Amino acid sequence: MNIEQVLQILSVSQKKPLTPLQELVLRSSWEGKTYNHMAGEVHYGAQSIREVASQLWHVLSKIFGERISKANFRHTLEVRLLTKAQQQQIEKHASSTVTTLEFPSGPVMLSSRFYIPRPPIEEFAYKEITEPGCVIRIKGSSQMGKSSLMIRIIDYAASVGYRSVNLDFQQADSTVFCNLDKFLRWFCANISSKLELESKLDEYWDEDIGSKVSCTNYFQRYLLEYLTCPFVLALNEVNRVFEYPAIAQEFLPLLRSWHEQAKQIEIWEKLRLLVAYSTEIYIPLKLNQSPFNIGLPLKLPSFTIKQVQDLAQRHGLDWRDGKQAKQLMSMVGGHPYLVRLALYHVSQGKVTLKQLLQQAPTESGIYNDHLRRLLTALQEEPELSAAIKKLIAAQDIKLESMLAYKLESIGLIKLECDRAKFSCELYRLYCESANLGSFE
């Protein structure tokens, strides 16, 4: 048997997917890597690696009826064949996973089997969130999986007894951003509401000391004082704040100051900041004021071909030879949403992969709504369409920083050093046919 079959047997036996760290330990042990080498690869403690491995060897020993250890893992199992019962168990599990497909829309829920871990990102996050006063920064363009990862970090935090609030700035009315005082009062009032606490803004707000100090006092003397456990404050779509430079230049340094307070005042150790955003901030901030050069940065990568094949299998598709996965990725790259939408439609049997790819950049393709949203964003800002038109005429170009920020934020481009390229072939083909010149 091979390592893939071993992983399948373990997942079926445990009746839940392996964690990213468990899978890494098994694959690395199969390849003969040491625990210290694994720890170095994922920046994880060697002792933690050994503890995870010990649990795995115990489970495997029970499954196969003989002692399995790191030393004999591959040697013992490679010569074995799957029993008929094990084959049936794996086939039954595989068939049951495709009885109900989920249309990809919004974050991938905790109960979904269609979430694809991107190790070691999850393990990094789970470890960091337990650090007093920590900041975790999740970066990725639109629909790359920021919210899906965020809800898993929040769920992990809940499993170890933490409280949390998930605040999405896209839910804020435009009027909230008219001035700093109104914004910070909205911010505190929403957090109080989500914690099911009475809003006591007027008791702590003092215009003589200013909005930022009032907001800080509200957190320190009311919210954190009330909470008896660590508190995860998850801030989603912080890019919305970037659109209001006057607010961002005050609010973002405030977040950093709270992180620094944890080094001096014990009560601030309770606060764990989890921040998700699409691109680097484009407004000027001093290095010692920005919250985007502290804490743990997690940049969400595109799916690898193995991850696309894994997701295809979860949709009931046999793409093990890699041919179909490469064809799909040649059109959409490893963009999680675009990949998953394609797999959903192909697994329905109503369209072949070849047909889907032929129609992909057209109005009749499955990406029509997604592409129209991108086109609308270009139509609303003619300088963006002008930049894309230049990009169509060249393989890559250098863009003014604000244009690069906006185009990367919506996912149309990727930046390599200071050069911009289309994120994927789908976007290039669609933009070529979209008559962008009419927007100049």
Side-chain angles (χ1 to χ4, degrees), residues 420-431:
K421 298 182 177 181
F422 278 107
S423 297
C424 61
E425 182 69 0
L426 175 70
Y427 295 158
R428 185 188 69 80
L429 292 172
Y430 182 74
C431 288

Side-chain angles (χ1 to χ4, degrees), residues 35-270:
Y35 292 140
N36 286 334
H37 184 92
M38 297 177 208
E41 281 187 335
V42 297
H43 307 289
Y44 220 78
Q47 184 57 37
S48 297
I49 298 287
R50 288 188 176 89
E51 289 173 2
V52 170
S54 178
Q55 294 170 355
L56 290 169
W57 307 142
H58 176 72
V59 173
L60 285 169
S61 297
K62 289 182 66 176
I63 292 172
F64 293 103
E66 63 178 294
R67 186 175 180 277
I68 304 292
S69 66
K70 184 177 185 301
N72 71 355
F73 173 46
R74 180 167 183 168
H75 174 74
T76 302
L77 298 185
E78 195 170 28
V79 296
R80 279 178 173 257
L81 296 175
L82 289 174
T83 66
K84 187 174 182 180
Q86 288 169 339
Q87 288 176 334
Q88 291 174 339
Q89 197 175 18
I90 291 172
E91 289 169 3
K92 181 180 178 182
H93 178 73
S95 63
S96 67
T97 61
V98 296
T99 54
T100 304
L101 292 173
E102 301 167 11
F103 184 79
S105 177
V108 183
M109 293 296 99
L110 290 171
S111 59
S112 174
R113 63 182 177 277
F114 297 110
Y115 179 78
I116 299 294
R118 281 174 269 189
I121 284 177
E122 288 84 0
E123 295 299 335
F124 281 175
Y126 298 157
K127 182 175 185 293
E128 185 67 18
I129 205 67
T130 63
E131 295 296 325
C134 71
V135 175
I136 298 177
R137 298 181 280 119
I138 305 173
K139 179 186 174 186
S141 60
S142 178
Q143 296 180 305
M144 282 293 290
K146 300 186 297 299
S147 297
S148 299
L149 174 60
M150 183 173 274
I151 62 176
R152 279 158 179 78
I153 298 172
I154 292 171
D155 181 66
Y156 176 81
S159 74
V160 292
Y162 296 0
R163 293 288 300 275
S164 66
V165 163
N166 190 350
L167 201 61
D168 190 334
F169 288 109
Q170 290 196 81
Q171 296 178 350
D173 297 338
S174 296
T175 56
V176 164
F177 298 94
C178 65
N179 62 63
L180 181 66
D181 188 72
K182 188 173 183 64
F183 172 77
L184 291 179
R185 288 179 70 93
W186 171 88
F187 181 69
C188 290
N190 269 269
I191 293 170
S192 301
S193 175
K194 288 177 180 287
L195 286 172
E196 298 182 338
L197 289 175
E198 178 187 356
S199 177
K200 295 185 177 182
L201 291 175
D202 291 338
E203 291 184 29
Y204 292 89
W205 230 257
D206 184 342
E207 64 180 17
D208 292 330
I209 63 176
S211 301
K212 290 196 291 185
V213 175
S214 296
C215 181
T216 300
N217 287 342
Y218 191 81
F219 261 77
Q220 180 173 329
R221 299 175 186 175
Y222 181 41
L223 299 182
L224 295 179
E225 188 68 40
Y226 165 79
L227 293 164
T228 58
C229 59
F231 172 52
V232 177
L233 178 55
L235 305 179
N236 207 353
E237 296 298 341
V238 176
N239 281 70
R240 179 79 191 280
V241 182
F242 296 176
E243 297 170 13
Y244 302 88
I247 303 291
Q249 286 177 319
E250 301 290 345
F251 176 62
L252 298 176
L254 180 62
L255 294 180
R256 180 177 178 126
S257 74
W258 292 349
H259 167 69
E260 293 174 344
Q261 291 271 48
K263 301 173 185 176
Q264 307 169 42
I265 304 174
E266 185 177 354
I267 198 169
W268 283 96
E269 292 183 355
K270 293 181 184 179

Side-chain angles (χ1 to χ4, degrees), residues 295-310:
L296 176 68
L298 299 175
K299 184 173 182 179
L300 290 177
S302 298
F303 284 161
T304 65
I305 189 168
K306 285 187 177 180
Q307 288 168 330
V308 172
Q309 289 174 290
D310 182 2

